[in-house]
Structures are given as C-alpha cells and as structure tokens.
Amino acid sequence: MKRIGILISGRGSNMTAIAEAVREGRIPDAELALVVSNVESAAGLARAQELGIRTFTHSHRGYTREEHDRAMAAELRRCEVDLVCLAGYMRLLSPWFIREFENRILNIHPSLLPSFPGLDAQKQALDYGVKFTGCTVHLVDEELDHGPIVKQSAVPVLSGDTVETLSARILAEEHNTYIEAAALILSGKYRIEGRRIVEL
Ligand code: GRF
C-alpha cells in the first residue's frame, strides 16, 4: 500500500476528490494517510475529519518557513507517506522540504503552465483573452509552479465567462486530473527525462 499525504489551506475539494478516488480504488493500492493544514479554520480540515482521515494542523505563524516545514515533514514521516499532494496549500515550501521529498511532491495549478503561474490564474487567463486554459499537475521543484508536468487538461474559455464560472469549469477537471496524476506517480510507471515525464 502506498500512502498519500495532502497539504491544504482552504476548501479542500481536490483533497476530497482524492479521498473518494482512494476509497473507490481509482488510485490503486493507495491510502490517504494524513491531511495537513496550516490554517486551523480550513473547511477542508473539517471535511477530512468527517471522512475519518487523520489530520494535523500546524500554523506557520511564529515559525520560519523551514521550521514550519520540518514540523510538517516529521508528521508526514511518522505516517510513512510516499507521496505529498499540495491541494490549495497557499504557502511556498522551503528548499529543505522539497529536497526531503524530492520528486515525491505534486502540485495542482489552475492554468496550462507555463502560462499564468502564481495567484489568480483563472483571472489572468480571462484578462489575457486566451480561448483555452485548464489545469496542470506537476512535480514540485524550487521554482513556483515550475517542475516537470505530470498531467494537463484543457478547458475552453466561453464568451460569457466570469472568474467564477471559469474557475468552476476548471475545478471539475482539476479533480480528475489530480487523480490520474497521483495514480501515475504512485504506479512508478514513468521516467523523468529533463523536464519531460515519459509514461512507460
Ligand atoms: C484549486 O483551484 C487549485 O488548483 C489551486 O487552489 C485551488 C484549491 O481548491 N492550487 P480546493 O481547496 O482543492 O478546493
């Protein structure tokens, strides 16, 4: 059994989608070992508890980035986590944490990277006027929204779209895309060639 840990700061819809996929066997031979939040009031945290998933809350306030990350990593190690999924985790990770779980951290971003990294990706896409945007699941390296791409899904931008309607259309794709990406990484059936993830 492979063990997944998920880091959240908010709503937790991607976390919930992964939890359901694990329960239904759509991520084979995997269990959701731990949900970590840096925000005590995160709705996703309450949801995880309802689902009976072990949770760990550790506010970043009053700690350096690395101190905070070391506390999270200790708990992830205690739970013997094989894969760390960032799902709306709104903090940069320290280089120490990224090295500690090298090529074992996934992030989801609501655009087709390398377009529109950073905050408000859906608004950036709308303002730019692209006709397609989407979501990207990538391995995390030390640059923001940058590591090798595991999976992407394209989503059309429609003429009447607002940030809300576009975000909702992307979010539905995010859930499927994250599940596929986590399943691939846990299966080990890929190799990394430079920036390319080649499925075997
Ligand atoms: C998603 O749009 C994700 O792409 C971004 O933050 C949002 C998190 O949503 N990184 P949720 O907490 O998973 O519902």
Side-chain angles (χ1 to χ4, degrees), residues 10-14 87-88 108-110 122 171 174:
R11 180 177 56 183
S13 74
N14 279 286
I108 185 147
H109 183 75
Q122 302 93 333
L171 191 65
E174 288 186 33

Side-chain angles (χ1 to χ4, degrees), residues 81-174:
V81 159
D82 301 290
L83 177 69
V84 177
C85 294
L86 309 184
Y89 181 69
M90 298 306 285
R91 297 209 16 107
L92 289 173
L93 292 167
S94 58
W96 177 84
F97 188 96
I98 292 165
R99 278 195 299 271
E100 183 71 8
F101 292 94
E102 198 180 2
N103 290 337
R104 299 270 99 199
I105 311 170
L106 290 175
N107 181 44
I108 185 147
H109 183 75
S111 76
L112 293 175
L113 290 171
S115 292
F116 315 127
L119 291 175
D120 299 322
Q122 302 93 333
K123 181 173 189 308
Q124 291 186 55
L126 206 55
D127 290 348
Y128 197 92
V130 292
K131 301 299 184 194
F132 281 90
T133 180
C135 60
T136 304
V137 178
H138 63 91
L139 290 174
V140 171
D141 66 9
E142 291 186 21
E143 281 180 58
L144 179 68
D145 298 331
H146 175 268
I149 292 169
V150 182
K151 294 274 178 184
Q152 288 187 306
S153 301
V155 170
V157 181
L158 306 181
S159 40
D161 264 339
T162 61
V163 173
E164 289 70 31
T165 59
L166 178 59
S167 299
R169 193 175 311 115
I170 295 172
L171 191 65
E173 282 307 315
E174 288 186 33

Side-chain angles (χ1 to χ4, degrees), residues 72-86:
M72 292 197 300
E75 190 66 15
L76 290 161
R77 289 292 184 212
R78 208 167 287 133
C79 292
E80 299 179 345
V81 159
D82 301 290
L83 177 69
V84 177
C85 294
L86 309 184

